[in-house]
Amino acid sequence: MSKPHEIIELTGQPLGFPELLAIGDGQAGVSVAPGSLERVQAARNVLEQAIADGMPVYGATTGVGAMKDIAWSNDELDTFNLGLVRAHHFGTGKPFPTWVVRNAMALRVNTALTGYVGCSTDLVQSYLDLLAADVIPVVRRTGSIGCADIGLMGQIGAVLTGVGEAVFQGERLPAAEAFERAGLQPFRMAPRDSLASLSVNSVSFAAAAQATRAAAGALRALLAAGLTAAGAMGASRDPWVAVTHVGTAREAMIGKWLCNASEGWEWPSATHVQDPLSLRMIPQVFGAVFESVLTAGHKILAATGRSDDNPVIVEGRVLTSGGSLPLDVTVLLESAVLCMAHAARNSFNRCVLLGNGQRRGLPVNLVPEGVIATGFGPIIKLAGDIFSRVLSMTNPVSAQSLVVAGGMEDEAAFLPLVIERFERQMQALKRLAALEALLAAQAMDIQGDEPGGAVKLVYDLVRRHAAFYTVDRPLSAEVEAIEKELASEAFLTDLIAVSPIHAIDGFFALGGFAQRLPVARRPSGH
């Protein structure tokens, strides 16, 4: 990673997607705003006084979970706190991207700055030191039921103490070796620091932020492919105009985009009275989908400035808390998971219409006249397979029952699992967009269409990877190549430059908006 050109001051207030993007990509470092550490120290003073007064403090002088009633003596606290964080390094499987882990550490710092946590200022500084040195803990994905990321955050906390693994200068190393190369020293966990380093949802919130932003980008590409297909089939624009007057705010937003993005291409109408619903109702489907993703995104950002610790320091007291259940974020993200299936069905239905031919006189399977070929009929089954995969992940999981820790822990949200399924859906939608774009380009060439604007971007992209179909040929690699470019930041940047949706692109920092780091988060002098 090159040295960051920007420094984002953390204040304890919620972050935005431009800031998360800059931190996650390593393009911005983080610092603590003046006065913020005073709040951390004030809460620490309350906690230390409670310990001095002989008050049992959960996870600081007592065990955790089923061991909550076990009290540790002063002589045992060092061993307990070191062992607590290391015992929670139990995640397995494929690691999260470094983007997620950088942001998880920044979020732990930011929520500590609220002044509700009771950790030491030294713990805050240890996270800042890791970020400054770009020593990024390896955090394996499987290990959280979504009621504090103990098995995920524990992997970061363990690295702070010098064990586990970390990525440094692009190399995955034992933590001790990474520390030695970076000139860092292992951190000694004081009472409360150990639990504060593992019993929050920072990894999940960072992963949820990355997933929702990526989903917004994938949906933008899918919408562009849908417009391309609609034009190739001669859809009427009338329903899109109508929705700008009688639809919801989000439906009107999509209807307006469809009308604006199709300017410069007056395709011949093939509509008889009215079109199939998958053409007429693109604004209704994508309006609802984007509304859901936006709502989830706002809730995720709110969580970046909220302490979800247990215990917390409130009104000068150490209080136990139930704030570690991220149910609000989880339920909204599950709603977005359901909406992704509606987007997939909408696209799949248009793929079927394209393959059926008939509209604008298109041939069955999009086989040009006089050509001996099977054409695109078989590949429609791929569209069906993709839609079924997206649909299969919509069954809710957040309310399933799970009781652990001797009955003490009987609530969970399964947020990491919801995020994982959401990510898999998003990847599937990228392939579906590629397939729809490929079919639409074939239909446009058969008709001799010459589109402009956003549709031309899609058409030209397809033709860079797939020629006009006149002889039966393998299509697998072509679909994957189209998918890769269609899902790229470069294409998204070009699409947004030609035809933006400001409420989506700006909020999620997509395309050119990704470069606009808020000046308010830059310290004076930058």
Side-chain angles (χ1 to χ4, degrees), residues 14-54:
L15 301 174
F17 279 99
E19 296 151 326
L20 294 174
L21 181 62
I23 294 170
D25 284 345
Q27 298 305 308
V30 297
S31 66
V32 172
S36 297
L37 286 178
E38 280 83 344
R39 292 192 295 273
V40 177
Q41 186 60 52
R44 181 69 184 178
N45 292 342
V46 172
L47 181 126
E48 289 183 344
Q49 186 61 54
I51 294 175
D53 292 342

Side-chain angles (χ1 to χ4, degrees), residues 71-295:
W72 306 106
S73 69
N74 289 337
D75 293 337
E76 296 170 327
L77 286 181
D78 276 349
T79 301
F80 165 68
N81 280 284
L82 179 63
L84 179 64
V85 71
R86 291 183 173 183
H88 285 84
H89 188 308
F90 58 78
T92 58
K94 182 179 179 181
F96 282 101
T98 54
W99 193 102
V100 170
V101 183
R102 285 194 187 101
N103 273 310
M105 290 191 287
L107 294 188
R108 173 64 286 192
V109 170
N110 198 52
T111 55
L113 298 182
T114 61
Y116 293 117
V117 179
C119 66
S120 69
T121 57
D122 288 340
L123 178 66
V124 172
Q125 187 60 50
S126 70
Y127 283 106
L128 294 174
D129 290 344
L130 277 190
L131 285 166
D134 203 38
V135 173
I136 309 303
V138 173
V139 180
R140 297 164 178 83
R141 295 189 67 126
T142 306
S144 172
I145 60 175
C147 190
D149 289 332
I150 56 174
L152 307 181
M153 288 297 295
Q155 296 175 67
I156 300 176
V159 167
L160 288 176
T161 71
V163 299
E165 296 175 282
V167 175
F168 179 63
Q169 296 181 342
E171 188 176 355
R172 182 168 171 171
L173 302 166
E177 184 176 347
F179 272 40
E180 183 177 354
R181 292 192 189 184
L184 299 176
Q185 294 295 320
F187 178 69
R188 173 185 173 273
M189 292 284 175
R192 180 72 184 104
D193 285 350
S194 188
L195 190 61
S197 70
L198 61 91
S199 189
V200 290
N201 295 287
S202 297
V203 172
S204 284
F205 292 149
Q210 184 186 49
T212 51
R213 180 180 181 272
L219 289 165
R220 288 287 274 112
L222 187 64
L223 178 60
L227 173 60
T228 305
M233 289 187 282
S236 172
R237 292 179 174 87
D238 289 353
W240 306 344
V241 174
V243 79
T244 64
H245 296 277
V246 300
T248 67
R250 296 300 178 210
E251 292 169 358
M253 176 185 77
I254 301 301
K256 183 178 181 180
W257 184 87
L258 290 168
C259 293
N260 292 342
S262 61
E263 288 180 354
W265 179 24
E266 296 301 322
W267 60 71
S269 174
T271 300
H272 177 66
V273 183
Q274 62 182 17
D275 289 324
L277 299 180
S278 60
L279 300 176
R280 272 190 286 148
M281 293 184 173
I282 295 176
Q284 283 76 11
V285 172
F286 279 85
V289 174
F290 277 121
E291 178 71 19
S292 180
V293 173
L294 276 168
T295 302

Side-chain angles (χ1 to χ4, degrees), residues 453-492:
V455 175
K456 187 177 189 304
L457 286 177
V458 176
Y459 173 83
D460 289 345
L461 184 156
V462 171
R463 287 295 172 242
R464 282 194 289 273
H465 302 286
F468 180 59
Y469 196 106
T470 57
V471 176
D472 287 328
R473 65 177 190 258
L475 294 173
S476 303
E478 293 179 10
V479 172
E480 291 173 348
I482 295 168
E483 173 194 346
K484 182 177 180 180
E485 186 174 353
L486 199 61
S488 69
E489 286 289 332
F491 172 77
L492 193 57

